[in-house]
């Protein structure tokens, strides 16, 4: 097999293994009570291992199938829906989180389709199959886990949730080995059978079309028939409604005078304060650490203007996530930097080997004091990019972003020049092809 296709197959196998590990988590959700915050990481550890393995594929020097690998790494973030615990937990509702993760991956999946659409249709089919997998996942979580993982309130304690039959899942708190699962859930001793997890299938084979079961179709048909039969009664359809007498009308009721009842501040203030405290969720703790000697993780910081990474080398990457009102300084030369889901945050770095990526951010500033080959800006509202003399040759890729400005050094004895990045485009059909140009406003 072609070495490039072997790399694509390796990335595809990670998707399959991650979904198999997810099946074990889904079965545990159906048969166990909700675990404690300390038990949950051990349950999802097998899935996290495959997600980390996919991320490791895109670190270091880029391969010829980097866009394939990046699409897989970004899309597998969708499996984090299992750790949703409530609003402001850092993860959106399951269906929305799956959709957001695929949107990030679709940026690179589209690059694959553009590159191979006229040369090798197998890569185009691969992208379509990958998209279909996560469309099935979104439909599954939307149906069975719309407000978060539906743990079995009447199930067995999580620590006792073990496999008793060959076809059942075996979620163990120990992350030493991934749970062995089957695509279909077996009945558990603590509750009803688990809903079927979304089938990962093969990325190289088409899936059978899905549709409603005969029983569901017949139930829906009978329900609609009953509705239409009621409507066909004509004027008699309202004969079963209760009559409203004059004494039942709001304007004639003494208890509906329209006056607002008075209440003492002392009686209402404690309850309001208590409700406010109960509504505030606990946020994830700040984190700054080097993972496996290859990746710096800077996460969940707020109001920290002195985040400095000075022990770096050219083989390491930096991932900055969920930071607000912070300033991050990366000293030395690193491979790549990713700024994800940050707001009002500044990033200053010297030299990059590959690229800088800004995703899902708002009101951020990025400054390069050395060499920066490329920068990708995706789904970002408000960014100012400061370039040095050494980084003027940077390639800037933008998608679904707004309020983008680039500041470049001015000539000698002059101020820096700020240039806007176009957001509006006009396309015209000329000489048998589509010609797209940036919109130029008056005074620009």
């Amino acid at each position: 097999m072609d070495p490039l296709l072997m790399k694509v197959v390796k990335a595809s196998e990670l998707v399959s293994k991650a979904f198999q590990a997810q099946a074990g988590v889904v079965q545990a959700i159906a048969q166990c009570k909700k675990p404690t915050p300390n038990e949950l990481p051990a349950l999802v550890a097998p899935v996290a291992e495959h997600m980390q393995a996919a991320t490791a594929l895109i670190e270091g020097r880029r391969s010829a199938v980097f866009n394939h690998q990046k699409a897989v790494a970004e899309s597998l973030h969708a499996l984090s829906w299992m750790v949703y615990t409530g609003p402001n937990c850092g993860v959106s509702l399951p269906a929305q989180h799956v959709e957001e993760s695929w949107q990030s991956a679709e940026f690179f999946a589209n690059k694959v389709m553009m590159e191979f659409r006229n040369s090798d249709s197998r890569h185009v089919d691969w992208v379509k199959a990958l998209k279909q997998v996560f469309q099935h996942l979104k439909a599954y979580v939307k149906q069975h886990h719309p407000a978060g993982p539906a743990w079995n309130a009447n199930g067995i304690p999580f620590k006792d949730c073990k496999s008793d039959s060959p076809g059942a899942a075996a979620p163990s708190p120990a992350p030493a080995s991934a749970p062995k699962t089957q695509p279909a859930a077996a009945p558990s001793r603590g509750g009803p059978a688990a809903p079927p997890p979304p089938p990962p299938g093969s990325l190289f084979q088409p899936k059978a079309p899905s549709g409603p079961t005969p029983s569901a179709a017949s139930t829906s048909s009978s329900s609609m028939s009953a509705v239409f039969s009621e409507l066909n009664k004509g004027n008699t359809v309202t004969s079963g409604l209760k009559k409203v007498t004059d004494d039942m009308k709001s304007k004639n009721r003494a208890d509906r005078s329209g006056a607002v009842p008075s209440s003492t501040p002392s009686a209402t203030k404690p309850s309001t304060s208590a409700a406010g405290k109960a509504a505030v969720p606990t946020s994830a703790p700040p984190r700054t650490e080097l993972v496996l000697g290859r990746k710096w993780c800077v996460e969940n910081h707020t109001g920290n203007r002195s985040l400095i990474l000075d022990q770096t080398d050219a083989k390491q990457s930096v991932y900055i996530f969920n930071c607000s009102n912070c300033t991050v300084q990366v000293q030395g030369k690193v491979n790549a930097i990713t700024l994800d889901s940050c707001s009002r945050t500044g990033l200053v770095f010297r030299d990059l080997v590959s690229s800088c990526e800004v995703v899902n951010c708002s009101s951020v500033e990025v400054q390069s004091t050395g060499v920066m080959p490329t920068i990708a800006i995706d789904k970002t509202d408000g960014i100012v990019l400061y370039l040095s003399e050494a980084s003027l040759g940077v390639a800037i890729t933008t998608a679904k972003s707004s309020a983008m400005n680039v500041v470049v050094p001015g000539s000698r004895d002059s101020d820096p020049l700020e240039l806007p990045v176009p957001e509006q485009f006009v396309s015209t059909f000329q000489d048998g092809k589509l010609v797209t140009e940036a919109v130029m406003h008056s005074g620009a």
Side-chain angles (χ1 to χ4, degrees), residues 19-20 53 86 104 109 118 120 137 157 179 182 206 252 270 284 305 313 324 357 387 413:
F19 271 83
Q20 291 173 10
S104 298
N118 295 326
D120 193 341
L137 175 61
Q182 297 292 335
N252 297 329
R305 296 290 181 179
D313 61 55
S324 177
E357 296 183 18
L387 301 180
D413 300 331

Side-chain angles (χ1 to χ4, degrees), residues 18-36:
F19 271 83
Q20 291 173 10
Q22 179 191 228
V25 179
V26 169
Q27 294 184 29
I29 291 174
Q31 65 180 351
C32 303
K33 294 182 178 179
K34 186 175 181 180
T36 64

Side-chain angles (χ1 to χ4, degrees), residues 290-295 313 315-316:
L290 179 62
V291 179
L292 301 177
R294 298 291 301 273
K295 181 178 181 180
D313 61 55
K315 295 183 179 180
Q316 296 174 349

Side-chain angles (χ1 to χ4, degrees), residues 36-50:
T36 64
N38 294 331
E39 294 173 329
L40 184 59
L43 176 63
V44 300
V47 181
E49 290 177 1
H50 298 303

Side-chain angles (χ1 to χ4, degrees), residues 49-238:
E49 290 177 1
H50 298 303
M51 294 170 62
Q52 292 174 358
T55 302
L57 294 178
I58 60 176
E59 295 180 348
R61 181 175 297 179
R62 290 193 177 189
S63 67
V65 292
F66 172 81
N67 290 326
H68 298 73
Q69 297 168 337
K70 186 68 173 178
V72 169
E74 292 290 336
S75 60
L76 283 182
H77 289 166
L79 303 189
S80 300
W81 69 267
M82 298 176 294
V83 299
Y84 177 84
T85 56
N88 299 323
C89 69
V91 179
S92 303
L93 286 169
Q96 181 182 354
H97 177 69
V98 174
E99 176 65 21
E100 292 172 352
S101 299
W102 173 248
Q103 288 179 357
S104 298
E106 193 172 24
F107 178 77
F108 300 94
N110 289 339
K111 288 186 177 182
V112 176
M113 297 188 70
M114 292 294 293
E115 181 180 358
F116 294 98
R117 62 180 180 178
N118 295 326
S119 59
D120 193 341
S121 61
R122 291 177 297 178
H123 296 270
V124 177
D125 295 338
W126 181 87
V127 171
K128 293 179 179 179
L130 183 65
K131 181 177 182 179
Q132 189 178 28
V133 168
F134 288 94
Q135 286 177 336
H136 283 301
L137 175 61
K138 178 184 176 182
Y140 167 76
V141 297
K142 187 175 182 179
Q143 178 181 358
H144 297 287
H145 308 279
W151 296 94
N152 189 348
N154 299 322
I156 60 178
F158 178 80
K159 61 181 180 179
D160 299 331
C161 186
K162 298 180 180 180
S163 174
D164 289 333
S165 61
S172 173
S177 59
K180 298 180 180 179
T181 61
Q182 297 292 335
S188 63
R189 58 180 178 176
S202 171
L203 295 182
F204 302 101
Q205 296 179 356
K207 292 182 173 62
S210 59
T213 60
S215 59
S218 60
T219 302
S220 176
S221 177
S222 61
S223 299
M224 292 305 298
S225 299
V227 173
F228 284 113
S229 64
E230 289 293 329
L231 293 178
N232 289 333
K233 292 181 179 180
N235 294 332
T236 60
V237 70
T238 59

Side-chain angles (χ1 to χ4, degrees), residues 243-258:
K243 302 299 181 182
V244 179
T245 59
D246 288 340
D247 61 327
M248 298 172 62
K249 297 180 179 179
S250 297
K251 64 180 182 179
N252 297 329
R253 293 179 57 177
D255 58 340
R256 297 293 180 89
S257 61

